[in-house]
Amino acid sequence: MLNKKVARTCYKRTVPKVVDTGERRQRIFEAVFDVVVEAGIGQVTLRAVADAAGLAIGSVRHYFSSRDELIGAASEEVIERITARIAEHRDRLDGSKDRLAIAEDMLCELLPLTELTSREVLVWLEIVTSGRTDPVLSASADRLFTGSRTLAGLIVMHAELVPKSESVLETERLAAMIDGLALRASLHPDQLPPALARSVVRRHLRQLSKA
Amino acid sequence: MLNKKVARTCYKRTVPKVVDTGERRQRIFEAVFDVVVEAGIGQVTLRAVADAAGLAIGSVRHYFSSRDELIGAASEEVIERITARIAEHRDRLDGSKDRLAIAEDMLCELLPLTELTSREVLVWLEIVTSGRTDPVLSASADRLFTGSRTLAGLIVMHAELVPKSESVLETERLAAMIDGLALRASLHPDQLPPALARSVVRRHLRQLSKA
């Protein structure tokens, strides 16, 4: 430690600070999400992200050479985070007796019910809508679109909620319901608070299991 | 007619062409929608709209002095069009025996099932999402948010589909389902084609009426 301090003092320009690459990338991603949540995905630039992260623009450029590269990586990061959280519940699904409760938890990972998920769901919403006209985001947008349906399909099948002949319709219906709840609760958290959104999910699953 | 031609030839600068104000405004609105559908609401500028309408920018500015004014008016136009179409079905609802079919038609006005509604639903989607960060759009976005819920509430109540104690939850669920279908079918018409979207609506209404 002392050596490093001495080195920094004596050779300031040539000995860089030791930076944890993973941690620095995460800090940049958080800054991207801050900008998206605050101002919309259209306002994401290397400059805006550097400012939000409290970094020099060169430090951001060290990791991401362009706005397109940065926004592509940040989109993939959101997908990975959501997928990882769902996978944790997924492991509980097989063989469990309380499938409806687990299905509810899985679907709620796509809803803005906590501070953590609220940020990610807003970023999700901006990616899926901007992906229609922004080619940089279209692949991530497609994966998020498919993701909701895959999760819905998994729940409809695994929870053995409906006969096979009805599973296509019920999968689309559940995917639409959850995406619509995410959209509405993200844009108007005051009018569709977390407890109400969760009750809607619970009701839908219960009705499905009676169908 | 001849007089006008003569006047135009002789006094080109001082005698303006007679322009139907209503028709011109409609042409400008269509151009706004073209730009939104093609490139996203962030790309709407007086210049882009003038180009899309095949008009001089001064002609657009004659009706709308700024981008904000134009985009606000275009948003209200979308709301009026959707509202008018729903009102036509609404008149059939009272006293009708086939309430489920009418409810289905009403909800489908919010879905991209025809060329006409596809444009409007895409514009709807861009307004509700951009309204979160763009103050010019926030009032229209709020009205569109409330609109889905009002329609859902009307159907849940009027169609006497569920007991009153469950109407709040069922209203939120129906609004979410229809907004989610609109979102998903707008962004991926290839994967969620009109016939499938309509089948999902029909299924939801039938399940509601059995609840």
Side-chain angles (χ1 to χ4, degrees):
Chain A
M1 191 64 199
L2 185 68
N3 280 350
K4 270 189 209 160
K5 265 192 186 162
V6 171
R8 254 186 243 147
T9 310
C10 301
Y11 307 97
K12 237 174 184 163
R13 279 160 191 281
T14 49
V15 181
K17 266 198 283 183
V18 177
V19 171
D20 179 322
T21 300
E23 191 246 3
R24 177 58 60 90
R25 282 176 64 97
Q26 291 303 316
R27 181 164 158 197
I28 294 171
F29 286 144
E30 293 303 330
V32 173
F33 303 155
D34 284 343
V35 175
V36 174
V37 168
E38 188 69 28
I41 207 161
Q43 302 303 312
V44 173
T45 58
L46 291 180
R47 161 67 52 208
V49 169
D51 289 349
L55 294 169
I57 193 166
S59 303
V60 177
R61 207 171 264 132
H62 177 72
Y63 295 92
F64 305 100
S65 64
S66 68
R67 187 247 183 203
D68 286 0
E69 197 185 320
L70 172 59
I71 215 161
S75 303
E76 291 304 301
E77 175 73 12
V78 167
I79 295 176
E80 272 171 37
R81 289 188 189 184
I82 297 176
T83 307
R85 290 207 312 271
I86 289 173
E88 283 179 30
H89 301 295
R90 170 79 178 76
D91 295 339
R92 293 192 291 143
L93 197 61
D94 285 316
S96 164
K97 277 179 188 165
D98 204 357
R99 290 176 170 183
L100 282 191
I102 299 171
E104 182 185 314
D105 287 344
M106 291 172 92
L107 290 167
C108 284
E109 294 291 353
L110 300 182
L111 297 181
L113 305 189
T114 66
E115 215 169 309
L116 178 80
T117 57
S118 292
R119 273 166 72 83
E120 291 174 15
V121 174
L122 263 182
V123 178
W124 163 88
L125 181 61
E126 296 262 340
I127 294 170
V128 293
T129 50
S130 299
R132 188 180 67 82
T133 48
D134 184 345
V136 172
L137 294 170
S138 70
S140 301
D142 285 355
R143 285 181 62 199
L144 286 168
F145 175 87
T146 312
S148 307
R149 192 167 55 198
T150 305
L151 177 58
L154 181 86
I155 286 170
V156 166
M157 260 194 1
H158 255 74
E160 288 162 16
L161 293 173
V162 294
K164 248 192 175 156
S165 61
E166 294 168 357
S167 65
V168 170
L169 266 189
E170 288 300 359
T171 296
E172 293 295 342
R173 187 160 76 110
L174 179 54
M177 203 274 303
I178 207 72
D179 278 7
L181 267 185
L183 172 83
R184 296 180 65 82
S186 284
L187 300 178
H188 291 273
D190 51 322
Q191 293 186 54
L192 187 49
L196 181 55
R198 185 177 271 275
S199 300
V200 172
V201 174
R202 187 171 300 156
R203 184 170 189 86
H204 192 88
L205 289 171
R206 281 207 189 130
Q207 295 249 324
L208 263 185
S209 70
K210 281 194 291 181
Chain B
M1 193 63 198
L2 186 68
N3 280 351
K4 268 189 211 162
K5 266 193 188 161
V6 171
R8 253 185 245 148
T9 310
C10 302
Y11 306 99
K12 238 175 183 165
R13 278 159 191 282
T14 50
V15 181
K17 268 198 283 185
V18 177
V19 170
D20 179 323
T21 300
E23 191 246 4
R24 178 57 60 90
R25 282 176 64 96
Q26 290 304 314
R27 181 165 157 195
I28 294 170
F29 287 143
E30 293 303 329
V32 173
F33 303 154
D34 283 344
V35 175
V36 174
V37 169
E38 187 69 29
I41 207 161
Q43 301 303 311
V44 173
T45 59
L46 290 181
R47 162 65 55 207
V49 170
D51 288 350
L55 294 169
I57 193 165
S59 302
V60 177
R61 205 170 265 131
H62 177 71
Y63 295 93
F64 305 99
S65 64
S66 67
R67 187 246 183 204
D68 285 0
E69 197 186 320
L70 172 58
I71 215 160
S75 304
E76 291 304 300
E77 174 73 12
V78 167
I79 295 175
E80 272 171 36
R81 289 187 189 185
I82 297 175
T83 308
R85 289 207 313 271
I86 289 173
E88 283 178 31
H89 300 295
R90 171 79 178 77
D91 295 339
R92 294 191 292 143
L93 197 63
D94 284 315
S96 164
K97 277 178 187 166
D98 203 358
R99 289 176 171 182
L100 282 192
I102 299 171
E104 182 185 314
D105 287 344
M106 290 172 92
L107 290 167
C108 284
E109 294 291 354
L110 299 183
L111 298 180
L113 305 189
T114 65
E115 215 169 308
L116 178 81
T117 57
S118 292
R119 273 166 72 83
E120 289 173 16
V121 175
L122 263 182
V123 177
W124 163 88
L125 182 60
E126 295 263 341
I127 294 170
V128 293
T129 49
S130 299
R132 187 180 68 82
T133 47
D134 184 346
V136 172
L137 293 170
S138 71
S140 301
D142 285 354
R143 286 180 60 198
L144 286 168
F145 175 87
T146 312
S148 307
R149 192 167 56 199
T150 305
L151 176 57
L154 180 85
I155 286 171
V156 166
M157 260 194 1
H158 256 73
E160 289 163 16
L161 294 173
V162 295
K164 247 192 174 156
S165 62
E166 296 168 356
S167 66
V168 170
L169 265 190
E170 289 299 357
T171 295
E172 294 294 343
R173 187 160 76 110
L174 180 54
M177 203 273 304
I178 207 73
D179 278 8
L181 268 185
L183 171 83
R184 296 180 66 81
S186 284
L187 300 179
H188 291 273
D190 50 324
Q191 293 186 55
L192 188 48
L196 180 56
R198 185 178 272 274
S199 299
V200 172
V201 174
R202 185 172 302 157
R203 184 170 189 86
H204 192 88
L205 290 172
R206 281 207 190 130
Q207 296 247 324
L208 264 184
S209 70
K210 280 194 292 182

